[in-house]
Structures are given as C-alpha cells and as structure tokens.
Amino acid sequence: MGSGTALIVVVRFMRSTYYGVQVGQLHSAAQFRITAWPDAPLPPPLVQRARKVSVDPKGWLRPYGDPSTWAPLPEELVLRQLLSVRCDNADDVVAFTTEHGIITQPPEDLGLPCGLDIKRPREGILHVNEIALYLRHAQAMTLHWIAALDREPVMSAWEAAGIADPAVRMRDEVEDDTAWVWFTGVLNAGLGGLQPYVRSWTTLPLSGERLEYGAPRVGLFTGLAAQVFNLVVEGLPVRVCANETCQSRFVRQSGRSRKNQQRTTGVMFCSAACAKAQAQREYRRRHRRERR
C-alpha cells in the first residue's frame, strides 16, 4: 500500500441505538458515578504480536510470524502514541498494529458493530476497517476519561474518535449519560479478555534470572483497555507535555525514574528528553534576544 492510502470508512452511530442505550431511561449526568473492580491497577498483560503485518488490496490484514510472540505494551501507550494514530489512514493503522500487537476476534464478539458485510477469506483475519474501529474505540475511551478529568463534555470524545455523529445532538444531560454508558460498555467489553489467573516463578540457579509463568495473554484491544482501566483506578491527572513540539498527554514522566518509580507530581514534561529539548529551545531564544 502506498503512503497515505486511506481505505477506512468512518463508522458513526446514532446516540439512541448504540450499545443498547435507551435514551428515555437516562436522566442526568450528575447521577452517574464510576467505580472499578478491582480497585487497584491491573498488572500489564502480555499482548500478542506478529513479526510482520501486511494488508492486501482489498484491505484484509494478514499477520505473519510466530503467533506465540507476546510482550507488554509500552507504558501509557493509550496516551502517548494511540491518540496520534489517524484511524482514517490505512498505513497508520497497519503500522500501529505491527508495532504493538494484533487483534484476532471480530468486532461483533465485543458488541462493536463494524458496518462491514464482507465474507472473511478465512478465520482469524480482519479487515483494516475493523482494526481501525477497535482503535477508534480505544481512542474514544481515552479521550472520554481525559474529558471527565478536565470537566469537559464527554460526548465530544466519541465525536472526536469518529464514532458519534456530531450532527446528531440531544440534551446536554442525556449526551453525557449516553457517553458514560458507552464508556462502561466498551471498557468492560475490552476487559472481558482478562480472566482470573495465577502466576508462578522460579529463579535460575546460576544467573539468578527470574522466570515467570502464567501471565495473562491477550489481544491488542484488551491490552489497551487495561491501560484505560488503570487510568480510571489511579485517578491521576493527565497532563499535556510542555515541550512545544510534543504536546503529548501523559501521567508519569519517563526517563528519570529509578526502579520504575516515575514522577507523577510537579512535572511539566512527559520525559527527560522533552524537558531537555524545551530548555535548549528557550536558551537559544534568550541567546538571540541578548545578541540584538
């Protein structure tokens, strides 16, 4: 596929019909409260990856490589990289799933209508539109939580992700109620891939290396849902990086931690590299002003 190729159809839904919402039963967003169980962050699950992902001219994705390749997602992926994915661009979608993980179950398994009526060439293969739909929902959940923390209208998150049609409007209180029902339904659907489990480990006698067994193994969407769940449980503010050329969302500053103890307070930059880059930029500005 050539650079910038766009195969993806934006799928939008009427507010009153998506995820079983009955608008007449909704009253006021002030009545909604969110709780999580368990009320502690989930350990990062291992996400299935493929060595290579290609897409044929009809838009079907085909993962290649060892299907037993698993790895945890990068920290804060839903904030730092996911939100920049252009879901209407097939190349962006393929690149993201190649780098971070694959999805094997069709959207209908999670109750996410895909709007496609195409016979699958074989089991375990999805269309690029379907992958994009998963990523749109992950973006919507993330943006929804950010809007909630910022006390902004949460329905705007679903509009920004291309799921809700901004031309279809309802009363403000019903809009918020509907969005919270969607958030709950989509997040729970994603978390459905995480089942109760036990883990065991052993230490190799010579190297002292610790080997663990039993870590949950999931698809990409479940891994992203787990990160959103942890944002909800921790309830920490989501900041905007003060680096002028970055502007990424983040919770913990990376790059200056010891023993994985990353800073969450008193930080302006998502990473030590961004802090250094902005400091150098401001130094050069001061230097130019002094030379005038």
Side-chain angles (χ1 to χ4, degrees):
M1 296 183 61
S3 176
T5 303
L7 291 179
I8 298 161
V9 178
V10 177
V11 183
R12 294 189 175 92
F13 304 97
M14 299 290 289
R15 274 118 161 107
S16 60
T17 58
Y18 183 51
Y19 244 99
V21 177
Q22 298 297 322
V23 171
Q25 297 176 1
L26 302 178
H27 302 289
S28 168
Q31 298 177 358
F32 272 77
R33 300 291 185 270
I34 185 166
T35 58
W37 184 89
D39 59 352
L42 299 171
L46 300 179
V47 174
Q48 185 176 5
R49 291 185 178 179
R51 178 174 50 83
K52 179 182 178 182
V53 177
S54 66
V55 59
D56 68 20
K58 293 184 178 180
W60 294 102
L61 270 75
R62 301 178 184 273
Y64 296 94
D66 184 357
S68 64
T69 300
W70 306 81
L73 295 178
E75 292 183 353
E76 299 187 7
L77 179 66
V78 292
L79 295 173
R80 296 172 184 258
Q81 286 87 33
L82 174 67
L83 295 182
S84 64
V85 175
R86 298 170 297 170
C87 291
D88 59 350
N89 183 286
D91 291 343
D92 268 22
V93 173
V94 173
F96 187 85
T97 191
T98 299
E99 182 176 0
H100 298 299
I102 62 175
I103 298 172
T104 57
Q105 75 271 41
E108 303 88 69
D109 287 0
L110 298 183
L112 309 181
C114 66
L116 292 177
D117 186 19
I118 304 175
K119 184 177 180 180
R120 300 187 189 282
R122 59 181 174 84
E123 292 295 324
I125 185 171
L126 298 184
H127 197 273
V128 66
N129 288 8
E130 297 176 298
I131 303 298
L133 185 67
Y134 276 106
L135 299 186
R136 287 184 189 279
H137 279 81
Q139 288 178 338
M141 288 191 296
T142 305
L143 293 170
H144 180 116
W145 185 244
I146 292 172
L149 291 175
D150 293 343
R151 300 185 181 277
E152 298 290 340
V154 288
M155 182 58 80
S156 62
W158 300 84
E159 294 173 348
I163 296 173
D165 191 341
V168 181
R169 305 295 301 180
M170 300 183 295
R171 299 192 314 274
D172 289 344
E173 62 271 20
V174 176
E175 292 274 297
D176 263 13
D177 286 357
T178 304
W180 277 109
V181 173
W182 293 359
F183 178 84
T184 304
V186 173
L187 184 52
N188 284 342
L191 294 173
L194 280 172
Q195 302 296 327
Y197 65 94
V198 295
R199 300 175 72 171
S200 61
W201 64 87
T202 185
T203 302
L204 298 181
L206 296 179
S207 65
E209 180 184 0
R210 173 168 163 153
L211 298 180
E212 293 194 3
Y213 305 91
R217 298 183 174 188
V218 301
L220 176 61
F221 187 69
T222 295
L224 296 173
Q227 288 200 353
V228 175
F229 177 88
N230 286 346
L231 291 177
V232 173
V233 170
E234 293 177 327
L236 296 172
V238 178
R239 297 177 171 84
V240 179
C241 181
N243 183 349
E244 298 170 18
T245 60
C246 178
Q247 301 288 294
S248 294
R249 291 283 189 165
F250 73 101
V251 172
R252 293 174 172 82
Q253 185 185 62
S254 62
R256 285 180 173 169
S257 61
R258 293 183 179 179
K259 297 182 180 180
N260 297 323
Q261 298 300 311
Q262 295 159 307
R263 295 176 60 190
T264 60
T265 59
V267 293
M268 298 174 56
F269 302 94
C270 68
S271 67
C274 272
K276 181 178 179 180
Q278 185 65 25
Q280 291 176 339
R281 186 177 297 112
E282 293 175 356
Y283 170 79
R284 290 192 295 268
R285 287 173 180 165
R286 290 193 301 270
H287 186 63
R288 285 194 297 266
R289 287 195 299 266
E290 291 170 357
R291 294 179 59 183
R292 292 175 183 173

